[in-house]
Amino acid sequence: MCGIVGYLGNRQAAPILLDGLAKLEYRGYDSAGICVFSDGKLKVAKAKGRLANLSGLIDGGRAISGTVGIGHTRWATHGAPSDVNSHPHMAESGKIAVVHNGIIENYLKLKEELVRKGKTFCSETDTEVVANLIEYYYDREKDFAEAVRDAVGQLEGSYALGILCQDYPDTMIAVKKESPLIFGFGEGENFIASDVPAILRYTRRVVYLDDGDMVVFTKDEAKFYDAFFDPVEKKIETVDWDISAAEKGGYPHFMIKEIHEEPKAIRGTLSPRIRDGRVVLDDIELSKEYLEKIRRIYIVACGSSYYVGCLGKYILEKTCRIPVEPILASEFRYSEPVLGEDTLCIIISQSGETADTKAALEEAKKRGARTLAIVNVVGSAIAKAADDVIYTWAGPEIAVATTKAFTTQLCVIYLIALYIADNLNTISPKEYAAIVDELMVLDQKVALCLTAEKIEKIRYYAEQYFSVRDAFFIGRNVDSAICLEGSLKLKEIAYIHSEAYAAGELKHGPISLIEEGTLVVAVATVDQLFDKTMSNVKEVRARGADVFGVTTEKHAEEIKKTVPSVILVPETHPLLQPSLTIIPLQTFAYYVALLRGCDIDKPKNLAKSVTVE
Ligand code: F6R
């Protein structure tokens, strides 16, 4: 949550900061602000609402000249979204300016102490406390870096900070703990940012800072220190994806662009890991001896990543014959989970920064379980902390609602399932080969769900149903799990009240909510359960619901007898079917949201990376 960016070089800073913030707006969009050294003074501009408001205020950056600056886009935690609570925050005397991503847990205590020392505050934020604390130490020590070091030593919680000091016009300091921060090396210019896309236009050479790291830099030099303020060497990584991956490329929204990127993302995730018909997971070290000892698998995650875990239960249990429990990270961490050396914890996170998921990972490690993370963002906290990590090569996902990260996470689950099952001999060679064969063509089958003809049909149904008030998604077996994700997509971007139920569960309560005009999305791809789901469809139709069905091509004729509005998807191996079924559900949510005039890439109250509990 929140995005920060910093620039120090020879070019005008404000337009670079605005450009960087535009790439980080997915992290939060309640307000935005920048601070630039302008004519020897720290000059701040900030505005409530979208970045466009700030940009308008400062004429696209032309109204503030200067070549050193920091910027921030906010997802409000402490204090309502307002101009005054927006970052950057200045210390009382205006000597120190700070942008911050994270939460300072002991800020009230620190604030009280600073008030006792005579400091006054104008905002409700924890960040203003940081600025004043640094200023307090700076006034005592007269050294910028030492003041930051001492202030940071007092902070509890999470932070990525970009800091400027009035008396050091050619220096910037950044520190990180439990919030993401990268440093970018340019030629005669240097950068900091919460995420790579913010600076990729200018440099590909980056350092992923570790917790406790501090960097003190000018335009020509950067010195890195660890948590003990000892100098450290950092590894410079080269970002190998292109800036176009973080731009809309002609699409009206990132979400629809990312949906259309799913075949490529799936190919990128699967193909390097399937060689000569075998799953090869070079990335991980799970030995046969270890796998033979596993008695239980937990899959821990939040939101859509958790729904991948719900699908993972069906896929892993069927192939590996080990009990699998998907559990929400926010619950897992406080549930005193029963686990130890015989438990594998699979942790799933697109961002690799989600606070609850990260805490759950630490809890699992503390209790002696081995952790295997499925992560999209390279170098993120969860990727670093897990015993093993498998990256989903989905590329940057900018739309707040996940699409291609979800489908690639699912691909990694298939790979893990085959890998474990093969090691444990719980899958026949024939079944193994059948799944691998289908994995090799999965990208092509996903592409068939995205043809112009298919999209046209989805748009047509979106037009039929975009004004419904309530929606229910129903299905059985893997279809019930994919319904959870389809329903979340609709509610989060189109703001339609929507729930997902195992189709057989409807009559145990929720059916009382079905009335004339309720939309029921019935997913029926599992052959042996098709008739049962159709019976449930009849029950809701009898009570006035409008039904929109999703099934495989082979059921085309049968489904028409019960459901008038149908989307067909190609067939694949039954365990892989959710990878195809989800495509029309994602596109349906997108077009419904479009027709409802919603802000699709930035749904209200949400942010891409949830680094608060
Ligand atoms: C929904 C969505 C969220 C995330 C959740 C976990 O479209 O994107 O539900 O799945 O916030 O985020 P990660 O995967 O980054 O841990």
Side-chain angles (χ1 to χ4, degrees):
M1 314 232 153
C2 300
I4 70 173
V5 63
Y7 174 77
L8 208 159
N10 296 318
R11 300 190 241 192
Q12 285 302 308
I16 293 175
L17 297 175
L18 288 177
D19 180 52
L21 292 179
K23 304 285 183 326
L24 296 176
E25 227 190 343
Y26 71 87
R27 301 182 65 85
Y29 30 87
D30 288 333
S31 65
I34 62 169
C35 174
V36 173
F37 260 110
S38 197
D39 299 327
K41 290 251 167 299
L42 289 171
K43 192 163 176 189
V44 174
K46 42 195 186 177
K48 184 181 160 188
R50 297 293 159 92
L51 183 63
N53 297 355
L54 173 69
S55 186
L57 187 74
I58 56 174
D59 191 19
R62 285 174 287 275
I64 301 187
S65 67
T67 60
V68 177
I70 49 180
H72 186 270
T73 178
R74 179 169 189 246
W75 188 84
T77 56
H78 294 60
S82 67
D83 288 352
V84 73
N85 286 332
S86 306
H87 299 216
H89 284 283
M90 305 291 290
E92 193 186 8
S93 70
K95 241 179 276 174
I96 302 287
V98 174
V99 286
H100 169 213
N101 171 29
I103 288 189
I104 307 301
E105 285 160 5
N106 60 336
Y107 85 105
L108 278 176
K109 188 168 149 262
L110 294 170
K111 191 170 182 175
E112 280 165 19
E113 283 168 19
L114 288 165
V115 168
R116 272 201 296 279
K117 291 183 169 107
K119 296 272 183 202
T120 55
F121 292 83
C122 55
S123 80
E124 298 159 76
T125 65
D126 48 349
T127 309
E128 196 186 4
V129 175
V130 179
N132 276 293
L133 193 62
I134 296 172
E135 187 180 70
Y136 169 75
Y137 283 110
Y138 181 69
D139 286 342
R140 276 185 13 179
E141 285 148 15
K142 306 289 178 223
D143 183 274
F144 184 20
E146 283 177 16
V148 173
R149 177 201 61 191
D150 289 347
V152 161
Q154 304 285 310
L155 303 180
E156 289 168 18
S158 58
Y159 46 83
L161 299 166
I163 311 155
L164 294 174
C165 175
Q166 175 72 53
D167 300 337
Y168 289 74
D170 51 11
T171 302
M172 190 181 300
I173 298 182
V175 285
K176 169 196 151 60
K177 186 187 156 224
E178 293 173 16
S179 290
L181 192 64
I182 57 163
F183 180 84
F185 286 95
E187 294 294 326
E189 58 186 3
N190 286 315
F191 305 81
I192 53 162
S194 299
D195 197 1
V196 173
I199 58 172
L200 196 52
R201 189 180 290 257
Y202 312 102
T203 182
R204 295 181 168 279
R205 296 171 63 230
V206 302
V207 165
Y208 295 94
L209 294 176
D210 289 306
D211 282 348
D213 281 355
M214 169 165 153
V215 53
V216 182
F217 64 101
T218 63
K219 66 186 171 64
D220 299 310
E221 193 187 26
K223 289 185 182 148
F224 296 90
Y225 301 90
D226 65 14
F228 305 101
F229 207 45
D230 289 328
V232 275
E233 290 285 318
K234 301 299 291 185
K235 186 168 166 235
I236 302 176
E237 316 255 358
T238 304
V239 178
D240 62 2
W241 43 270
D242 201 68
I243 184 68
S244 62
E247 290 177 342
K248 282 191 203 144
Y251 287 93
H253 297 98
F254 278 110
M255 183 177 175
I256 192 69
K257 174 184 178 242
E258 288 162 5
I259 289 174
H260 281 279
E261 283 172 351
E262 286 184 87
K264 184 170 165 236
I266 287 172
R267 195 161 52 249
T269 301
L270 289 176
S271 63
R273 291 160 174 146
I274 300 178
R275 285 178 229 147
D276 301 326
R278 311 293 304 165
V279 171
V280 183
L281 295 181
D282 293 331
D283 345 34
I284 61 171
E285 288 174 19
L286 296 184
S287 65
K288 190 175 170 62
E289 295 69 50
Y290 166 73
L291 292 171
E292 279 168 353
K293 280 192 217 132
I294 297 179
R295 292 290 161 265
R296 192 184 349 196
I297 298 176
Y298 275 110
I299 307 184
V300 189
C302 300
S304 297
S305 299
Y306 164 71
Y307 296 150
V308 172
C310 296
L311 286 158
K313 177 178 172 67
Y314 291 100
I315 297 158
L316 285 152
E317 285 189 346
K318 176 96 180 159
T319 47
C320 309
R321 309 310 301 159
I322 299 174
V324 177
E325 191 175 339
I327 178 161
L328 291 164
S330 54
E331 290 300 312
F332 178 87
R333 63 185 291 194
Y334 297 117
S335 66
E336 296 188 36
V338 182
L339 38 86
E341 283 173 9
D342 61 355
T343 321
L344 174 65
C345 259
I346 300 178
I347 311 282
I348 309 180
S349 177
Q350 186 284 130
S351 62
E353 300 291 341
T354 304
D356 283 319
T357 311
K358 204 160 129 251
L361 183 150
E362 300 299 347
E363 182 67 27
K365 280 174 74 173
K366 202 170 83 195
R367 289 174 182 266
R370 194 176 175 94
T371 54
L372 165 59
I374 302 174
V375 176
N376 193 39
V377 177
V378 175
S380 54
I382 290 172
K384 282 182 178 168
D387 295 315
D388 290 288
V389 58
I390 303 183
Y391 283 110
T392 48
W393 297 119
E397 191 179 64
I398 310 290
V400 164
T402 182
T403 52
K404 61 176 179 170
F406 176 88
T407 38
T408 51
Q409 287 167 348
L410 196 49
C411 288
V412 175
I413 290 287
Y414 301 142
L415 294 173
I416 294 172
L418 287 177
Y419 180 84
I420 298 179
D422 187 35
N423 271 280
L424 300 182
N425 287 323
T426 49
I427 189 166
S428 71
K430 194 169 160 222
E431 182 75 345
Y432 183 95
I435 298 178
V436 168
D437 284 352
E438 281 301 313
L439 281 177
M440 309 255 282
V441 292
L442 194 62
D443 59 323
Q444 294 164 35
K445 292 197 173 177
V446 168
L448 290 175
C449 301
L450 289 165
T451 58
E453 191 195 338
K454 281 269 162 24
I455 296 286
E456 207 35 61
K457 204 153 189 199
I458 297 275
R459 284 181 76 119
Y460 172 78
Y461 290 137
E463 277 164 23
Q464 308 291 300
Y465 301 123
F466 77 94
S467 56
V468 297
R469 201 190 58 183
D470 303 298
F472 287 81
F473 285 66
I474 60 167
R476 287 166 180 263
N477 195 268
V478 287
D479 290 339
S480 77
I482 208 66
C483 280
L484 294 164
E485 175 62 4
S487 170
L488 178 64
K489 288 282 95 72
L490 190 67
K491 86 178 109 195
E492 70 179 327
I493 63 164
Y495 314 146
I496 291 176
H497 164 242
S498 173
E499 298 186 38
Y501 275 97
E505 188 62 16
L506 218 53
K507 58 189 165 298
H508 297 289
I511 200 161
S512 61
L513 291 170
I514 304 289
E515 56 187 29
E516 202 69 37
T518 305
L519 174 64
V520 173
V521 179
V523 181
T525 70
V526 183
D527 292 347
Q528 60 277 34
L529 299 172
F530 180 85
D531 290 340
K532 295 197 184 298
T533 304
M534 286 307 108
S535 302
N536 301 130
V537 168
K538 284 181 190 132
E539 289 156 14
V540 295
R541 288 200 74 195
R543 287 157 180 86
D546 289 329
V547 180
F548 159 44
V550 180
T551 190
T552 52
E553 280 152 5
K554 82 147 91 119
H555 294 294
E557 290 311 312
E558 264 172 291
I559 197 167
K560 276 188 213 148
K561 294 177 197 156
T562 319
V563 184
S565 308
V566 179
I567 290 288
L568 300 176
V569 292
E571 247 162 274
T572 179
H573 187 282
L575 290 181
L576 312 189
Q577 198 63 55
S579 294
L580 306 182
T581 318
I582 190 58
I583 307 296
L585 302 185
Q586 291 170 345
T587 38
F588 179 68
Y590 172 79
Y591 285 107
V592 168
L594 193 66
L595 288 160
R596 290 168 71 94
C598 301
D599 192 348
I600 294 178
D601 285 339
K602 300 187 190 96
K604 64 182 179 204
N605 305 336
L606 293 175
K608 183 83 184 153
S609 167
V610 185
T611 53
V612 294
E613 267 196 56

